[in-house]
Amino acid sequence: MKKYFAPSELIINEDGSVFHLHVRPEQMADKVILVGDPGRVPLVASHFDTVECDIQSREFRTMTGCYKGKRISVVSTGIGCDNIDIVMNELDALVNIDFNTREEKDELKSLEIVRVGTCGGLQPYTPVGTFVLSQKSIGFDGLLNFYAGRNEVCDLEFEKVFKEHMNWNPLLCAPYVIDADRELTDRIAGDGDCVKGVTIACGGFFGPQGRELRIPLADPTQNSKVESFEYNGFRITNFEMESSALAGLSRLLGHRATTVCMVIANRLIKEANTGYKNTIDNLIQLVVDRI
């Protein structure tokens, strides 16, 4: 018997679009680029040869078009893993649930998803301007812990070693370690254009990433422990706020995803570039070519 999704669980708007994104199934491509900033959506779409639609709802803006024969959708998620939870579940619903019958489709579709964003570098070899691909992500957000199958897709031994190294505070969400799709990561990386690394996805920009303004940190040594961590040749390369949820939910839903970010601040050497918006277009061009 097919699973039925009640109106309270899958909310469909009167125009046949999914609740938050306001996108209809026929408007979604199989190749998807995610960005945080709604203002970055038209920047990505400016590379397209044609544009089919431009839809905005809250922080979620979607444009679908064609680039060199490839149909691509670019969707803004806003900031944070909580928004990735909304976007990933609604993207999956758009392609794998029949909106007329509210039942799972007989043949499930696997989307190819690349998040393009910005991050803070944590190693000497990730200076400002570096493109970092999240080969693995460590989720400080706790999102994946709410879903069945979490242990089957995560790197449990990596998690164990990391928690021991960090002397993990039991008041915090249990961190999860998840791999991005290997083939997609290798394809986006190309021949040395990007540094492959381990990304920590945080539930906030300040305290969770070790930034201290007026409120003292619970663990002032967090970042030094993060920077010194090493396991099986892996070191933690950068902080951002979405990669773990994207990789984790994609694995559970059967999609293929990876995250690539441009370093706009290096926490180790205390440098930052607030004028990055002009140069991130180079990263966007790389992604639309390789997705």
Side-chain angles (χ1 to χ4, degrees):
M1 185 175 178
K2 291 184 180 179
K3 186 175 181 181
Y4 174 80
F5 302 94
S8 60
E9 307 308 294
L10 173 62
I11 304 174
I12 300 174
N13 300 314
E14 290 183 357
D15 64 355
S17 64
V18 73
F19 184 57
H20 294 93
L21 298 183
H22 275 257
V23 173
R24 298 192 305 274
E26 70 271 14
Q27 295 172 317
M28 183 54 53
D30 294 350
K31 294 178 181 289
V32 183
I33 296 173
L34 299 183
V35 294
D37 182 359
R40 199 171 291 157
V41 172
L43 178 60
V44 176
S46 69
H47 294 266
F48 295 172
D49 301 315
T50 58
V51 173
E52 299 173 22
C53 61
D54 184 353
I55 304 153
Q56 180 143 15
S57 172
R58 304 185 188 184
E59 61 266 54
F60 309 112
R61 184 174 182 181
T62 302
M63 295 179 75
T64 296
C66 283
Y67 174 78
K68 295 184 177 180
K70 297 183 291 189
R71 189 167 182 254
I72 303 172
S73 293
V74 53
V75 182
S76 63
T77 65
I79 297 174
C81 286
D82 50 345
N83 278 13
I84 295 293
D85 184 61
I86 292 171
V87 171
M88 280 304 305
N89 277 286
E90 293 198 353
L91 288 181
D92 180 74
L94 285 166
V95 299
N96 287 323
I97 296 175
D98 186 317
F99 276 27
N100 294 315
T101 64
R102 292 184 164 274
E103 293 176 340
E104 190 175 70
K105 293 181 178 178
D106 292 328
E107 293 187 15
L108 298 181
K109 184 176 287 185
S110 180
L111 298 173
E112 191 172 276
I113 305 167
V114 179
R115 185 179 106 73
V116 178
T118 57
C119 67
L122 291 169
Q123 299 296 341
Y125 53 87
T126 58
V128 167
T130 304
F131 298 159
V132 180
L133 262 162
S134 303
Q135 187 175 7
K136 285 181 176 285
S137 291
I138 304 175
F140 278 13
D141 54 284
L143 177 68
L144 216 63
N145 300 329
F146 288 90
Y147 289 93
R150 171 247 196 262
N151 283 359
E152 284 69 38
V153 299
C154 288
D155 188 334
L156 302 183
E157 186 58 31
F158 195 122
E159 290 176 10
K160 178 176 179 289
V161 174
F162 179 75
K163 286 191 289 185
E164 289 172 353
H165 175 83
M166 296 293 294
N167 190 23
W168 195 255
N169 185 343
L171 293 176
L172 301 177
C173 300
Y176 58 95
V177 178
I178 186 81
D179 289 342
D181 183 81
R182 181 175 296 179
E183 187 279 328
L184 184 58
T185 298
D186 289 344
R187 193 192 329 149
I188 299 298
D191 188 18
D193 298 309
C194 307
V195 172
K196 292 180 186 176
V198 180
T199 299
I200 290 179
C202 294
F205 183 77
F206 289 95
Q209 295 188 31
R211 288 185 174 91
E212 182 176 322
L213 296 185
R214 294 187 59 242
I215 306 173
L217 299 173
D219 181 4
T221 66
Q222 171 189 287
N223 281 19
S224 61
K225 288 187 287 190
V226 165
E227 290 156 10
S228 65
F229 177 76
E230 186 172 359
Y231 173 71
N232 280 355
F234 288 105
R235 296 191 71 114
I236 297 167
T237 47
N238 57 323
F239 272 135
E240 52 86 82
M241 298 175 66
E242 291 87 13
S243 63
S244 58
L246 173 60
L249 292 176
S250 294
R251 288 283 297 279
L252 291 175
L253 289 165
H255 303 297
R256 302 168 58 231
T258 193
T259 293
V260 59
C261 290
M262 185 176 75
V263 176
I264 63 167
N266 188 289
R267 306 294 298 284
L268 191 66
I269 56 180
K270 311 293 185 187
E271 66 172 359
N273 172 22
T274 57
Y276 65 88
K277 292 185 179 179
N278 294 326
T279 54
I280 199 167
D281 196 45
N282 295 331
L283 178 56
I284 291 169
Q285 181 66 66
L286 182 152
V287 171
V288 295
D289 280 332
R290 297 176 183 174
I291 193 172

